[in-house]
Each structure stands twice: as structure tokens, then as C-alpha cells.
Amino acid sequence: MKAFFNKYAVWVTLALFIVIATISLVGFEPTHALLPSACSEEDKGACFREWVSALSGWVGGAAAFITLIAIRHQIKLQQRQIDFQLGDAPPTMHATKTRKNEGGWIVTLTVRNWNRRPMSLEFIYDFGGKSRMRLFPQAVMINGEDCPFTKWEESPGTLGSCMIPGREEGLKVPYAEIVCDTTVEGEPDVRNDNYAAFDCILACGCHQYDSTRRSFVLTAELKDIWFSPFKEA
């Protein structure tokens, strides 16, 4: 609905104005039938003019409301641009997959820090759903360089505070790549006799550092993790 108003607000307002003006000035049969019952024959059209005047106020109010929605959208876009220029834009994450020769998948999570404040990567996990992807980090790289981390057998998604520096004006956006081996458990989203496909939402728990430490979670969608032949985990 929000996207519809952002795209068609002006045209919706114009169409409403034309329709209401047409009904008021030309009229449908119910309009013609209503006016004589509401207005006396001696007013010489004064009652009808009051109807049109009142209706124009409602049309103006509707147009103002839709205009406010469009202005609010523009303000949000301007605020996003200001946040980006000041280094207050939020970090982002996306996921890619690579098929292994022996079967299975390698998943790479790429985190970009658009914010001027440094951040740390703490742990990665599957966000939920009817299927579940288990992530086993094999390498973490910060700006293309290896970042040492400890592999925890009992908690394989733990990274242990791999730091990404804050963004600086005129320099490349700092980023991290987390390369993971994977297994998938649970009910597949698509399945036949020899084929199964999973859709997963992956998450990365992070901290951002300023005068205080702020915790947040980044998510990324990964679709069509397929296995053929498929065996239950």
C-alpha cells in the first residue's frame, strides 16, 4: 500500500477530483434525485452552490492528506542521504552460495559497514523457518585480509568479535566476508523423489561501538539450496 501511494498519489488525487467534480456538476441520477429533496425550488441554485463548496473542501482535504504522504516519503529519502553523508547509515549484509564438487554448499556472508563507527561480528546462525541451515565458519576476512577466530565445536557459529573499522570519507567501504561450510536440516521447501530445495534466512549478531555498545542483528535471505540426491540429516 505504501509503495502504491508513493507511486500513484498524484494520479489518484487527480482522478478523484475529476470523478467528484463530474458527479457534482453533471451528475448521476441519484445526485439529481437527491438535490430536489435537500433544496427548495425558491433558492435559485444557492443550495447547489453550497453543496459544491462543501464538497470542494473535502476534495482539498483528501488532496492535502495524500500530499503529506508524498512529502513524508521525500523527507525519509533526504534523511537517508544525510545519514549516509554523516556516516550514520546502517551496515548491510548479503549471502551468496557456491556448489562444492563433492556436493553440499559453501555460503559466503558479506557485511559492509556504511557507518562511521566500528562494528564487530559476534556469531552467525539460521534465523528460523521450517528448515534450518547450520553454518560452520571456515574463514573470516576483513577488507580482504584474514581475521583470526576460534572455532568452537559446541557453538560452531561463534566468531568472537571480528572487528570491521568504520567508514571514512573518500575511502572504500570496509567489509567482511565470512566463508562457511553448511549442512541443512528440517523439512525442505520443495521436494520430489530425488531432489530437495531449501530457503533460509541467515543472521549475524553484531555490536557497534560509540560512547556505548549497541547490539543488533543483520539478516540475509538465501533461496534454492538444493540437494540431489537428498538424504535426511
Side-chain angles (χ1 to χ4, degrees), residues 24-25 35 39 43-56:
S24 300
L25 300 176
L35 286 175
C39 304
D43 65 0
K44 305 301 183 182
C47 180
F48 178 74
R49 286 193 297 271
E50 290 179 5
W51 273 62
V52 174
S53 177
L55 192 61
S56 66

Side-chain angles (χ1 to χ4, degrees), residues 12 21 26 32-33 50-51 76 111 114 119 126 133 138 146 164 182 201 204 208 216:
V12 169
V26 179
H32 284 294
E50 290 179 5
W51 273 62
K76 281 188 174 182
V111 179
W114 302 93
M119 61 178 289
D126 187 289
M133 173 176 282
Q138 303 300 307
D146 288 335
I164 307 178
T182 63
I201 299 177
C204 180
Q208 197 168 61
F216 61 97

Side-chain angles (χ1 to χ4, degrees), residues 6 9 32 38 47 67 85 120 123 135 151 178 180 197-198 225:
N6 289 338
H32 284 294
C47 180
T67 302
Q85 292 172 353
S120 63
F123 52 90
L135 301 169
K151 294 183 180 181
I178 310 168
C180 306
F198 298 82
I225 308 295

